[in-house]
Amino acid sequence: VSTCICHVQPTAHKAVSSARNDMGDFAIQHNMDMIRRWQMEAERKKKRLIISSQQLLYIPFDLSIFQHLVVLDCSDNMLRGFPDSICKLTALETLLCQRNVLRSLPSSIGMLTRLKYFNCSFNLLSWLPMEIGNLQSLEVLHGVHNDITALPASLLGASLKKLYIGYNLLCEFPCVNGPVLLTLDMQMCNLNLFPDSVCKLNTLTTLIISNSF
């Protein structure tokens, strides 16, 4: 029986190690280059950051470096959550995160007091944080096609004008006084009875509740 013994020279080990380090350095540099490119694009597009359709599992940077953003579009990815640093985007007016796999929203989202338009449709959300009621400027909320079972009463603040919450698992609508809601979409929900609280929405002009009972 013959035996073949192969000796690997130390230089080969060093070459492999060096190659691995180079690959790691390349990945880090690639990520940094990508972030810088997004920063430049955000500035060029008048404080708009578009990172949609990138197959992102998470936002790969600290959002605080974009603290002057007005529009953030991270839709059509595979995001499972938002970092708490989203609270640093105090100038944000439009947040688009539809078509991801979000299961919850951070309570820090309530610090986006300039947010006017929020779309979190087509996710896996089962609830909305109470702090969403702190969004004093919120006018339009799209939250269709989730698994939301109840809405916090704080959501229906004085500024909310359009609420699209159809295709969820809602059983009731919160009792509120004095909102200026103009449009309410609750179609294909899990309502057993027409909610009396909706009758108190004196400013309502459009109500969609088809196939909800």
Side-chain angles (χ1 to χ4, degrees), residues 19-31:
R20 289 176 177 171
N21 289 337
D22 289 344
M23 288 298 293
D25 292 342
F26 173 78
I28 293 172
Q29 184 61 43
H30 175 71
N31 287 337

Side-chain angles (χ1 to χ4, degrees), residues 49-204:
L49 178 59
I50 312 299
I51 54 174
S52 59
S53 304
Q54 299 291 319
Q55 297 184 336
L56 297 175
L57 297 176
Y58 61 93
I59 295 179
F61 44 75
D62 185 352
L63 283 173
S64 62
I65 64 178
F66 298 99
Q67 58 183 319
H68 299 299
L69 274 184
V70 175
V71 176
L72 172 59
D73 182 357
C74 54
S75 60
D76 291 289
N77 282 295
M78 294 180 285
L79 298 177
R80 299 179 180 180
F82 276 114
D84 285 334
S85 59
I86 194 172
C87 68
K88 302 294 184 180
L89 305 181
T90 53
L92 199 66
E93 295 182 4
T94 298
L95 176 56
L96 308 175
C97 59
Q98 66 270 22
R99 298 188 186 280
N100 280 283
V101 289
L102 298 172
R103 293 185 177 275
S104 64
L105 299 173
S107 58
S108 57
I109 200 171
M111 299 180 69
L112 306 180
T113 54
R114 295 187 183 181
L115 192 66
K116 296 180 180 179
Y117 186 97
F118 182 27
N119 192 335
C120 59
S121 299
F122 294 94
N123 277 286
L124 302 174
L125 299 173
S126 58
W127 56 281
L128 298 175
M130 291 291 296
E131 290 79 4
I132 202 168
N134 296 333
L135 303 179
Q136 304 169 358
S137 303
L138 188 64
E139 296 180 357
V140 180
L141 172 61
H142 287 267
V144 302
H145 286 278
N146 278 286
D147 297 322
I148 299 171
T149 57
L151 296 175
S154 60
L155 171 63
L156 300 174
S159 62
L160 191 64
K161 294 181 174 63
K162 297 181 179 182
L163 175 59
Y164 302 91
I165 203 70
Y167 295 90
N168 276 285
L169 303 176
L170 292 176
C171 296
E172 58 183 5
F173 193 77
C175 295
V176 291
N177 292 313
V180 293
L181 203 63
L182 300 175
T183 300
L184 175 59
D185 178 357
M186 297 178 65
Q187 63 180 313
M188 296 299 294
C189 286
N190 196 34
L191 301 171
N192 294 320
L193 298 171
F194 185 84
D196 292 337
S197 53
V198 173
C199 300
K200 299 179 181 179
L201 302 175
N202 299 324
T203 57
L204 203 62

